[in-house]
Amino acid sequence: MVTLKEFFSFKQNRFFWINLIAMVVVVIAAAWGTLAWLDQYTHHGESYVVPDVKNKSFEQAKTLLNGQHLEVEIVDSNYVKGLPAGIVLDQAPLGGMRVKQGRTVYLTINTNKVPLVKIPDVIDNSSLRQAAAKLKAMDFRLTEPELVAGEQDWIYGIKYKGRSLKSNDKVPHEAVLTLCVGDTHLRDSLRTDSLQMQLNDAPEEAPQVDDSWF
């Protein structure tokens, strides 16, 4: 049976203490080395200011961002009339923010492709005032209406560059459209002309001769 004195006798062994101290040193060194590696890997405490690249060309934006050790990616495009194609419209993160090295900055740029917009359901379904208000709200531009025979101020058609459109047809944003609007005077005039033509085309009846005197 091991006595209490024998159990604690290892404390008198100097090799035990040397090994214990060596183990502590190894653990501390491993922990320190791991933390140092993590700091190096994550660039702890190192950050870069994101340049403000709005309203710059994509090439200029890429040069500025790469110069700050940042990556660039185009994630979206919009059409803004009057701005050159490729101009940066928006960015994330925003300019002035501090980020880690290698962070990706996402850009939205301007495109030169004019978006197509559907014609709303106003043909034979709206008055001139209703149709004009709806189309102008969608940024379409309108010419002088084209009068056609029909109910006064009723929309009978829409034309784009001389081509008749239907509801849901697509035309460029801000296209110039012509509304075909009904006009009762024109309708009545056409009816009168048609009736007159029918009368003019009717065959004349031969005069009847009274032969009772013969």
Side-chain angles (χ1 to χ4, degrees), residues 9-174:
S9 63
F10 68 89
K11 292 184 178 181
Q12 305 300 323
N13 190 333
R14 63 188 181 90
F15 293 105
F16 167 78
W17 293 107
I18 292 174
N19 290 334
L20 182 61
I21 293 172
M23 289 175 61
V24 172
V25 171
V26 169
V27 170
I28 294 174
W32 181 84
T34 301
L35 292 175
W37 177 81
L38 286 174
D39 284 347
Q40 179 66 28
Y41 181 76
T42 60
H43 301 282
H44 180 69
E46 184 178 0
S47 63
Y48 295 86
V49 177
V50 178
D52 185 358
V53 295
K54 286 185 180 180
N55 299 318
K56 298 186 183 298
S57 70
F58 173 70
E59 293 302 325
Q60 290 175 321
K62 184 177 180 181
T63 300
L64 288 172
L65 293 169
N66 289 163
Q68 289 293 88
H69 305 284
L70 303 174
E71 301 297 325
V72 185
E73 183 177 343
I74 298 174
V75 293
D76 199 6
S77 62
N78 289 320
Y79 174 75
V80 178
K81 185 179 179 181
L83 292 181
I87 288 293
V88 177
L89 301 176
D90 199 9
Q91 67 179 94
L94 297 175
M97 295 185 63
R98 286 190 168 273
V99 297
K100 300 285 188 180
Q101 177 180 343
R103 174 73 179 272
T104 299
V105 178
Y106 300 98
L107 303 180
T108 299
I109 65 170
N110 191 43
T111 177
N112 59 357
K113 185 178 181 181
V114 180
L116 298 178
V117 183
K118 286 184 179 180
I119 295 295
D121 184 18
V122 296
I123 300 174
D124 204 20
N125 193 36
S126 302
S127 67
L128 173 60
R129 172 181 287 184
Q130 292 171 332
K134 184 173 291 187
L135 293 169
K136 287 180 178 179
M138 299 173 67
D139 293 329
F140 289 118
R141 293 174 291 167
L142 303 178
T143 66
E144 286 293 322
E146 179 181 315
L147 300 181
V148 296
E151 297 298 324
Q152 190 68 28
D153 292 337
W154 191 248
I155 300 300
Y156 287 95
I158 299 177
K159 292 183 178 180
Y160 171 62
K161 293 185 176 181
R163 176 171 63 91
S164 295
L165 302 175
K166 297 179 294 185
S167 296
N168 294 324
D169 281 352
K170 292 184 177 181
V171 294
H173 178 253
E174 296 187 343

Side-chain angles (χ1 to χ4, degrees), residues 169-185:
D169 281 352
K170 292 184 177 181
V171 294
H173 178 253
E174 296 187 343
V176 179
L177 305 178
T178 300
L179 299 179
C180 300
V181 183
D183 181 61
T184 53
H185 299 294

